[in-house]
Amino acid sequence: MVDEDRRKFLGVCLGGVAAAAAVAVSYPVYNYLAPLQQAKTAGKVVIPEQEVPVGGAKFFEYAGSTAVLVRRQSGDLVALSAVCTHLGCIVQWEKEKQDFLCPCHAGHYSHEGAVLSGPPPKPLAKLPFVVANGVITVG
Ligand code: FES
């Protein structure tokens, strides 16, 4: 009787382990095969307006690359590619200076993406966006 109970208990334990292993294997496969969430909005990225503070920047993924939204002190918004036009590093927002610095070769861009100094040959690419009902839609 004790052996039978032990077998049942071991069976339940092995079943639980098998179920956990099945989930552990299938979840990454599902994540890999499932379409990206951004694809649901046809390449557009939706960001709540409150996530871009005055004088601040919000970086996000857009069309397989990094982009950034900047809210100027005046409240105006700018959407830019965050990919440096020199050799493709991701620029960083310098809140104190209200400009962008490329950490790779010290390229400087204005808050609107214009080249201020350094090796970048072109401004940061501007991205289209609209603001409606407290939501910024880029793309
Ligand atoms: S990659 Fe940005 S300055 Fe060189």
Side-chain angles (χ1 to χ4, degrees), residues 4-60:
E4 202 170 301
D5 287 345
R6 187 179 290 165
R7 280 192 199 116
K8 281 183 184 175
F9 176 73
L10 285 174
V12 168
C13 288
L14 288 175
V17 168
V23 169
V25 169
S26 60
Y27 183 72
V29 171
Y30 169 77
N31 258 357
Y32 178 76
L33 295 176
L36 295 175
Q37 200 165 15
Q38 290 179 0
K40 291 178 184 170
T41 54
K44 297 181 186 297
V45 175
V46 176
I47 296 172
E49 240 190 314
Q50 72 264 16
E51 290 189 14
V52 190
V54 172
K58 165 83 176 172
F59 287 81
F60 57 97

Short mmCIF file of all heavy atoms in Angstrom, two decimals, residues 4-60:
data_model
loop_
_atom_site.label_atom_id
_atom_site.label_comp_id
_atom_site.label_asym_id
_atom_site.label_seq_id
_atom_site.Cartn_x
_atom_site.Cartn_y
_atom_site.Cartn_z
N GLU A 4 2.45 1.72 -3.37
CA GLU A 4 1.48 2.23 -4.35
C GLU A 4 1.29 3.74 -4.19
O GLU A 4 1.26 4.48 -5.18
CB GLU A 4 0.14 1.51 -4.16
CG GLU A 4 -0.72 1.56 -5.39
CD GLU A 4 -1.90 0.64 -5.25
OE1 GLU A 4 -1.69 -0.58 -5.06
OE2 GLU A 4 -3.02 1.16 -5.31
N ASP A 5 1.20 4.21 -2.96
CA ASP A 5 1.07 5.65 -2.70
C ASP A 5 2.32 6.39 -3.18
O ASP A 5 2.23 7.47 -3.75
CB ASP A 5 0.87 5.92 -1.21
CG ASP A 5 -0.53 5.52 -0.74
OD1 ASP A 5 -1.39 5.32 -1.62
OD2 ASP A 5 -0.73 5.41 0.48
N ARG A 6 3.46 5.79 -2.91
CA ARG A 6 4.72 6.40 -3.35
C ARG A 6 4.78 6.52 -4.87
O ARG A 6 5.20 7.53 -5.42
CB ARG A 6 5.89 5.57 -2.84
CG ARG A 6 7.24 6.21 -3.09
CD ARG A 6 8.37 5.41 -2.57
NE ARG A 6 8.37 5.44 -1.12
CZ ARG A 6 9.07 4.61 -0.36
NH1 ARG A 6 9.83 3.71 -0.90
NH2 ARG A 6 9.01 4.68 0.95
N ARG A 7 4.33 5.44 -5.55
CA ARG A 7 4.32 5.49 -7.03
C ARG A 7 3.39 6.59 -7.54
O ARG A 7 3.72 7.30 -8.48
CB ARG A 7 3.87 4.13 -7.59
CG ARG A 7 4.98 3.14 -7.59
CD ARG A 7 4.60 1.91 -8.40
NE ARG A 7 5.48 0.84 -8.01
CZ ARG A 7 5.11 -0.28 -7.43
NH1 ARG A 7 3.83 -0.51 -7.21
NH2 ARG A 7 5.98 -1.18 -7.09
N LYS A 8 2.22 6.70 -6.92
CA LYS A 8 1.27 7.75 -7.35
C LYS A 8 1.89 9.13 -7.14
O LYS A 8 1.79 10.01 -7.98
CB LYS A 8 -0.05 7.64 -6.57
CG LYS A 8 -0.96 6.57 -7.07
CD LYS A 8 -2.26 6.58 -6.28
CE LYS A 8 -3.15 5.45 -6.72
NZ LYS A 8 -4.36 5.36 -5.91
N PHE A 9 2.51 9.29 -5.98
CA PHE A 9 3.14 10.59 -5.67
C PHE A 9 4.25 10.91 -6.68
O PHE A 9 4.34 12.02 -7.21
CB PHE A 9 3.70 10.57 -4.25
CG PHE A 9 4.43 11.82 -3.88
CD1 PHE A 9 3.74 13.00 -3.63
CD2 PHE A 9 5.82 11.84 -3.82
CE1 PHE A 9 4.42 14.16 -3.31
CE2 PHE A 9 6.50 12.99 -3.51
CZ PHE A 9 5.79 14.16 -3.25
N LEU A 10 5.08 9.92 -6.96
CA LEU A 10 6.16 10.14 -7.94
C LEU A 10 5.59 10.43 -9.33
O LEU A 10 6.10 11.26 -10.08
CB LEU A 10 7.09 8.93 -7.99
CG LEU A 10 8.05 8.80 -6.80
CD1 LEU A 10 8.82 7.49 -6.89
CD2 LEU A 10 9.00 9.97 -6.77
N GLY A 11 4.49 9.74 -9.67
CA GLY A 11 3.84 9.99 -10.96
C GLY A 11 3.35 11.42 -11.07
O GLY A 11 3.53 12.08 -12.09
N VAL A 12 2.72 11.90 -10.00
CA VAL A 12 2.23 13.29 -10.00
C VAL A 12 3.41 14.27 -10.11
O VAL A 12 3.38 15.23 -10.88
CB VAL A 12 1.39 13.57 -8.73
CG1 VAL A 12 1.13 15.06 -8.57
CG2 VAL A 12 0.09 12.79 -8.79
N CYS A 13 4.49 14.00 -9.37
CA CYS A 13 5.67 14.87 -9.42
C CYS A 13 6.29 14.89 -10.81
O CYS A 13 6.62 15.95 -11.35
CB CYS A 13 6.72 14.43 -8.40
SG CYS A 13 6.24 14.78 -6.71
N LEU A 14 6.43 13.72 -11.42
CA LEU A 14 7.02 13.65 -12.76
C LEU A 14 6.12 14.34 -13.78
O LEU A 14 6.60 15.00 -14.71
CB LEU A 14 7.27 12.20 -13.16
CG LEU A 14 8.44 11.52 -12.44
CD1 LEU A 14 8.53 10.05 -12.81
CD2 LEU A 14 9.74 12.24 -12.75
N GLY A 15 4.81 14.20 -13.61
CA GLY A 15 3.88 14.90 -14.51
C GLY A 15 4.05 16.40 -14.40
O GLY A 15 4.06 17.12 -15.40
N GLY A 16 4.19 16.91 -13.18
CA GLY A 16 4.40 18.34 -12.97
C GLY A 16 5.70 18.82 -13.59
O GLY A 16 5.76 19.86 -14.23
N VAL A 17 6.75 18.03 -13.41
CA VAL A 17 8.05 18.39 -13.99
C VAL A 17 7.96 18.39 -15.52
O VAL A 17 8.48 19.29 -16.18
CB VAL A 17 9.15 17.43 -13.50
CG1 VAL A 17 10.43 17.61 -14.30
CG2 VAL A 17 9.41 17.64 -12.01
N ALA A 18 7.27 17.40 -16.08
CA ALA A 18 7.12 17.33 -17.54
C ALA A 18 6.33 18.53 -18.06
O ALA A 18 6.68 19.12 -19.08
CB ALA A 18 6.45 16.02 -17.94
N ALA A 19 5.27 18.92 -17.34
CA ALA A 19 4.48 20.07 -17.76
C ALA A 19 5.31 21.35 -17.70
O ALA A 19 5.26 22.18 -18.62
CB ALA A 19 3.23 20.19 -16.88
N ALA A 20 6.09 21.52 -16.62
CA ALA A 20 6.94 22.71 -16.50
C ALA A 20 7.99 22.74 -17.61
O ALA A 20 8.27 23.80 -18.18
CB ALA A 20 7.61 22.74 -15.13
N ALA A 21 8.55 21.58 -17.93
CA ALA A 21 9.55 21.53 -19.00
C ALA A 21 8.92 21.88 -20.36
O ALA A 21 9.52 22.59 -21.17
CB ALA A 21 10.18 20.14 -19.06
N ALA A 22 7.69 21.41 -20.58
CA ALA A 22 7.00 21.72 -21.84
C ALA A 22 6.77 23.22 -21.97
O ALA A 22 6.97 23.81 -23.03
CB ALA A 22 5.68 20.96 -21.92
N VAL A 23 6.37 23.86 -20.88
CA VAL A 23 6.15 25.32 -20.90
C VAL A 23 7.48 26.03 -21.11
O VAL A 23 7.57 26.97 -21.91
CB VAL A 23 5.47 25.79 -19.59
CG1 VAL A 23 5.49 27.30 -19.50
CG2 VAL A 23 4.05 25.27 -19.53
N ALA A 24 8.53 25.57 -20.43
CA ALA A 24 9.84 26.23 -20.54
C ALA A 24 10.38 26.14 -21.96
O ALA A 24 11.06 27.06 -22.43
CB ALA A 24 10.83 25.59 -19.56
N VAL A 25 10.07 25.09 -22.68
CA VAL A 25 10.54 24.94 -24.06
C VAL A 25 9.64 25.68 -25.03
O VAL A 25 10.12 26.35 -25.95
CB VAL A 25 10.63 23.43 -24.43
CG1 VAL A 25 10.86 23.26 -25.92
CG2 VAL A 25 11.74 22.77 -23.63
N SER A 26 8.33 25.59 -24.85
CA SER A 26 7.42 26.14 -25.86
C SER A 26 7.27 27.67 -25.77
O SER A 26 7.04 28.32 -26.78
CB SER A 26 6.05 25.48 -25.76
OG SER A 26 5.50 25.70 -24.48
N TYR A 27 7.42 28.27 -24.58
CA TYR A 27 7.23 29.71 -24.46
C TYR A 27 8.25 30.51 -25.28
O TYR A 27 7.86 31.40 -26.03
CB TYR A 27 7.26 30.14 -22.99
CG TYR A 27 6.99 31.61 -22.80
CD1 TYR A 27 5.71 32.13 -22.99
CD2 TYR A 27 8.02 32.49 -22.48
CE1 TYR A 27 5.47 33.47 -22.85
CE2 TYR A 27 7.78 33.84 -22.34
CZ TYR A 27 6.51 34.33 -22.52
OH TYR A 27 6.27 35.66 -22.39
N PRO A 28 9.56 30.20 -25.19
CA PRO A 28 10.52 30.93 -26.04
C PRO A 28 10.26 30.72 -27.53
O PRO A 28 10.43 31.65 -28.33
CB PRO A 28 11.88 30.35 -25.64
CG PRO A 28 11.67 29.76 -24.31
CD PRO A 28 10.25 29.30 -24.27
N VAL A 29 9.82 29.52 -27.91
CA VAL A 29 9.52 29.26 -29.32
C VAL A 29 8.34 30.13 -29.75
O VAL A 29 8.36 30.76 -30.81
CB VAL A 29 9.23 27.76 -29.56
CG1 VAL A 29 8.70 27.53 -30.96
CG2 VAL A 29 10.47 26.93 -29.28
N TYR A 30 7.30 30.20 -28.91
CA TYR A 30 6.15 31.04 -29.23
C TYR A 30 6.57 32.50 -29.33
O TYR A 30 6.19 33.21 -30.27
CB TYR A 30 5.07 30.89 -28.14
CG TYR A 30 3.99 31.92 -28.27
CD1 TYR A 30 3.00 31.80 -29.24
CD2 TYR A 30 3.98 33.05 -27.45
CE1 TYR A 30 2.02 32.76 -29.38
CE2 TYR A 30 3.02 34.02 -27.59
CZ TYR A 30 2.03 33.87 -28.55
OH TYR A 30 1.08 34.84 -28.70
N ASN A 31 7.37 32.97 -28.39
CA ASN A 31 7.83 34.37 -28.41
C ASN A 31 8.61 34.68 -29.68
O ASN A 31 8.50 35.76 -30.24
CB ASN A 31 8.72 34.65 -27.21
CG ASN A 31 7.98 35.40 -26.14
OD1 ASN A 31 6.83 35.76 -26.32
ND2 ASN A 31 8.64 35.64 -25.04
N TYR A 32 9.41 33.72 -30.14
CA TYR A 32 10.21 33.94 -31.34
C TYR A 32 9.32 34.00 -32.58
O TYR A 32 9.52 34.82 -33.47
CB TYR A 32 11.25 32.82 -31.48
CG TYR A 32 12.09 32.93 -32.72
CD1 TYR A 32 13.11 33.87 -32.80
CD2 TYR A 32 11.84 32.12 -33.82
CE1 TYR A 32 13.87 33.99 -33.93
CE2 TYR A 32 12.60 32.24 -34.97
CZ TYR A 32 13.62 33.17 -35.02
OH TYR A 32 14.37 33.28 -36.15
N LEU A 33 8.33 33.14 -32.62
CA LEU A 33 7.49 33.05 -33.82
C LEU A 33 6.36 34.07 -33.84
O LEU A 33 5.88 34.44 -34.91
CB LEU A 33 6.89 31.64 -33.93
CG LEU A 33 7.91 30.53 -34.13
CD1 LEU A 33 7.22 29.17 -34.13
CD2 LEU A 33 8.66 30.72 -35.44
N ALA A 34 5.93 34.56 -32.69
CA ALA A 34 4.82 35.51 -32.64
C ALA A 34 5.25 36.84 -33.25
O ALA A 34 6.38 37.28 -33.05
CB ALA A 34 4.37 35.72 -31.20
N PRO A 35 4.36 37.48 -34.00
CA PRO A 35 4.71 38.79 -34.57
C PRO A 35 4.94 39.81 -33.47
O PRO A 35 4.34 39.73 -32.40
CB PRO A 35 3.49 39.17 -35.41
CG PRO A 35 2.42 38.23 -35.03
CD PRO A 35 3.03 37.05 -34.34
N LEU A 36 5.83 40.76 -33.74
CA LEU A 36 6.11 41.80 -32.77
C LEU A 36 4.86 42.62 -32.50
O LEU A 36 4.04 42.82 -33.39
CB LEU A 36 7.22 42.71 -33.28
CG LEU A 36 8.58 42.06 -33.43
CD1 LEU A 36 9.56 43.03 -34.06
CD2 LEU A 36 9.09 41.60 -32.09
N GLN A 37 4.74 43.14 -31.29
CA GLN A 37 3.57 43.92 -30.92
C GLN A 37 3.44 45.17 -31.79
O GLN A 37 2.35 45.58 -32.12
CB GLN A 37 3.65 44.31 -29.46
CG GLN A 37 2.31 44.68 -28.88
CD GLN A 37 2.38 44.69 -27.38
OE1 GLN A 37 3.43 44.70 -26.79
NE2 GLN A 37 1.23 44.70 -26.75
N GLN A 38 4.57 45.74 -32.18
CA GLN A 38 4.51 46.94 -33.00
C GLN A 38 3.88 46.68 -34.35
O GLN A 38 3.32 47.57 -34.96
CB GLN A 38 5.91 47.49 -33.21
CG GLN A 38 6.51 48.08 -31.96
CD GLN A 38 7.92 48.59 -32.21
OE1 GLN A 38 8.42 48.49 -33.31
NE2 GLN A 38 8.53 49.13 -31.18
N ALA A 39 3.96 45.42 -34.83
CA ALA A 39 3.41 45.11 -36.14
C ALA A 39 1.90 45.30 -36.18
O ALA A 39 1.33 45.52 -37.22
CB ALA A 39 3.77 43.69 -36.53
N LYS A 40 1.26 45.23 -35.00
CA LYS A 40 -0.19 45.39 -34.95
C LYS A 40 -0.61 46.80 -35.37
O LYS A 40 -1.72 47.02 -35.79
CB LYS A 40 -0.71 45.10 -33.54
CG LYS A 40 -0.60 43.64 -33.16
CD LYS A 40 -1.08 43.43 -31.75
CE LYS A 40 -0.86 41.98 -31.35
NZ LYS A 40 -1.09 41.77 -29.93
N THR A 41 0.27 47.77 -35.22
CA THR A 41 -0.07 49.13 -35.60
C THR A 41 0.63 49.52 -36.90
O THR A 41 0.90 50.68 -37.15
CB THR A 41 0.32 50.11 -34.47
OG1 THR A 41 1.69 49.91 -34.16
CG2 THR A 41 -0.54 49.93 -33.25
N ALA A 42 0.93 48.53 -37.74
CA ALA A 42 1.48 48.75 -39.07
C ALA A 42 2.72 49.63 -39.05
O ALA A 42 2.82 50.61 -39.77
CB ALA A 42 0.41 49.33 -39.98
N GLY A 43 3.69 49.31 -38.19
CA GLY A 43 4.95 50.03 -38.17
C GLY A 43 4.91 51.30 -37.36
O GLY A 43 5.92 51.99 -37.27
N LYS A 44 3.79 51.61 -36.76
CA LYS A 44 3.70 52.82 -35.94
C LYS A 44 3.97 52.47 -34.48
O LYS A 44 3.70 51.36 -34.04
CB LYS A 44 2.30 53.43 -36.07
CG LYS A 44 1.98 53.90 -37.48
CD LYS A 44 0.62 54.51 -37.55
CE LYS A 44 0.20 54.86 -38.95
NZ LYS A 44 1.00 55.85 -39.61
N VAL A 45 4.52 53.44 -33.76
CA VAL A 45 4.78 53.25 -32.34
C VAL A 45 3.94 54.27 -31.58
O VAL A 45 3.92 55.45 -31.94
CB VAL A 45 6.28 53.44 -32.02
CG1 VAL A 45 6.53 53.36 -30.53
CG2 VAL A 45 7.10 52.40 -32.77
N VAL A 46 3.25 53.80 -30.57
CA VAL A 46 2.37 54.65 -29.78
C VAL A 46 2.98 54.85 -28.40
O VAL A 46 3.30 53.89 -27.72
CB VAL A 46 0.96 54.01 -29.68
CG1 VAL A 46 0.07 54.83 -28.78
CG2 VAL A 46 0.36 53.85 -31.07
N ILE A 47 3.12 56.12 -28.01
CA ILE A 47 3.73 56.45 -26.72
C ILE A 47 2.85 57.49 -26.01
O ILE A 47 2.52 58.52 -26.61
CB ILE A 47 5.15 57.01 -26.93
CG1 ILE A 47 6.03 55.93 -27.56
CG2 ILE A 47 5.74 57.52 -25.63
CD1 ILE A 47 7.39 56.41 -27.99
N PRO A 48 2.47 57.23 -24.77
CA PRO A 48 1.70 58.24 -24.02
C PRO A 48 2.51 59.53 -23.88
O PRO A 48 3.71 59.48 -23.59
CB PRO A 48 1.47 57.57 -22.66
CG PRO A 48 1.68 56.11 -22.89
CD PRO A 48 2.67 56.00 -24.00
N GLU A 49 1.83 60.64 -24.05
CA GLU A 49 2.52 61.94 -24.03
C GLU A 49 3.25 62.19 -22.72
O GLU A 49 4.32 62.80 -22.71
CB GLU A 49 1.50 63.06 -24.25
CG GLU A 49 1.78 63.88 -25.47
CD GLU A 49 0.90 65.12 -25.52
OE1 GLU A 49 -0.31 65.02 -25.29
OE2 GLU A 49 1.46 66.18 -25.80
N GLN A 50 2.70 61.71 -21.61
CA GLN A 50 3.32 61.98 -20.30
C GLN A 50 4.66 61.28 -20.13
O GLN A 50 5.40 61.58 -19.19
CB GLN A 50 2.37 61.66 -19.14
CG GLN A 50 2.15 60.19 -18.90
CD GLN A 50 0.88 59.66 -19.57
OE1 GLN A 50 0.33 60.31 -20.45
NE2 GLN A 50 0.42 58.50 -19.15
N GLU A 51 5.00 60.37 -21.05
CA GLU A 51 6.30 59.69 -20.96
C GLU A 51 7.44 60.54 -21.53
O GLU A 51 8.59 60.12 -21.50
CB GLU A 51 6.24 58.33 -21.67
CG GLU A 51 5.39 57.32 -20.93
CD GLU A 51 5.50 55.92 -21.50
OE1 GLU A 51 6.42 55.66 -22.30
OE2 GLU A 51 4.64 55.10 -21.15
N VAL A 52 7.09 61.69 -22.10
CA VAL A 52 8.13 62.58 -22.64
C VAL A 52 8.05 63.90 -21.88
O VAL A 52 7.30 64.80 -22.24
CB VAL A 52 7.95 62.82 -24.15
CG1 VAL A 52 9.17 63.54 -24.72
CG2 VAL A 52 7.69 61.52 -24.90
N PRO A 53 8.83 64.03 -20.80
CA PRO A 53 8.75 65.24 -19.97
C PRO A 53 9.37 66.45 -20.67
O PRO A 53 10.20 66.29 -21.57
CB PRO A 53 9.55 64.86 -18.73
CG PRO A 53 10.52 63.83 -19.21
CD PRO A 53 9.82 63.08 -20.32
N VAL A 54 8.99 67.62 -20.25
CA VAL A 54 9.57 68.85 -20.79
C VAL A 54 11.09 68.84 -20.55
O VAL A 54 11.54 68.57 -19.44
CB VAL A 54 8.93 70.09 -20.14
CG1 VAL A 54 9.67 71.36 -20.57
CG2 VAL A 54 7.46 70.18 -20.50
N GLY A 55 11.84 69.07 -21.61
CA GLY A 55 13.30 69.04 -21.51
C GLY A 55 13.89 67.64 -21.50
O GLY A 55 15.09 67.48 -21.38
N GLY A 56 13.06 66.65 -21.65
CA GLY A 56 13.52 65.26 -21.58
C GLY A 56 13.40 64.54 -22.91
O GLY A 56 12.90 65.08 -23.89
N ALA A 57 13.89 63.32 -22.92
CA ALA A 57 13.87 62.50 -24.12
C ALA A 57 13.38 61.11 -23.78
O ALA A 57 13.61 60.62 -22.67
CB ALA A 57 15.27 62.43 -24.72
N LYS A 58 12.71 60.50 -24.72
CA LYS A 58 12.22 59.13 -24.56
C LYS A 58 12.73 58.32 -25.74
O LYS A 58 12.39 58.59 -26.89
CB LYS A 58 10.69 59.14 -24.54
CG LYS A 58 10.03 57.81 -24.74
CD LYS A 58 9.95 57.03 -23.48
CE LYS A 58 9.19 55.72 -23.70
NZ LYS A 58 9.27 54.88 -22.52
N PHE A 59 13.59 57.34 -25.45
CA PHE A 59 14.11 56.46 -26.50
C PHE A 59 13.17 55.27 -26.66
O PHE A 59 12.60 54.79 -25.68
CB PHE A 59 15.51 55.98 -26.12
CG PHE A 59 16.56 57.05 -26.26
CD1 PHE A 59 16.74 58.00 -25.28
CD2 PHE A 59 17.36 57.10 -27.39
CE1 PHE A 59 17.69 59.00 -25.41
CE2 PHE A 59 18.32 58.09 -27.53
CZ PHE A 59 18.48 59.04 -26.55
N PHE A 60 13.04 54.78 -27.89
CA PHE A 60 12.16 53.64 -28.15
C PHE A 60 12.63 52.94 -29.43
O PHE A 60 13.44 53.50 -30.19
CB PHE A 60 10.70 54.10 -28.28
CG PHE A 60 10.48 55.14 -29.34
CD1 PHE A 60 10.03 54.77 -30.61
CD2 PHE A 60 10.72 56.48 -29.09
CE1 PHE A 60 9.82 55.72 -31.60
CE2 PHE A 60 10.53 57.44 -30.08
CZ PHE A 60 10.08 57.07 -31.32
#
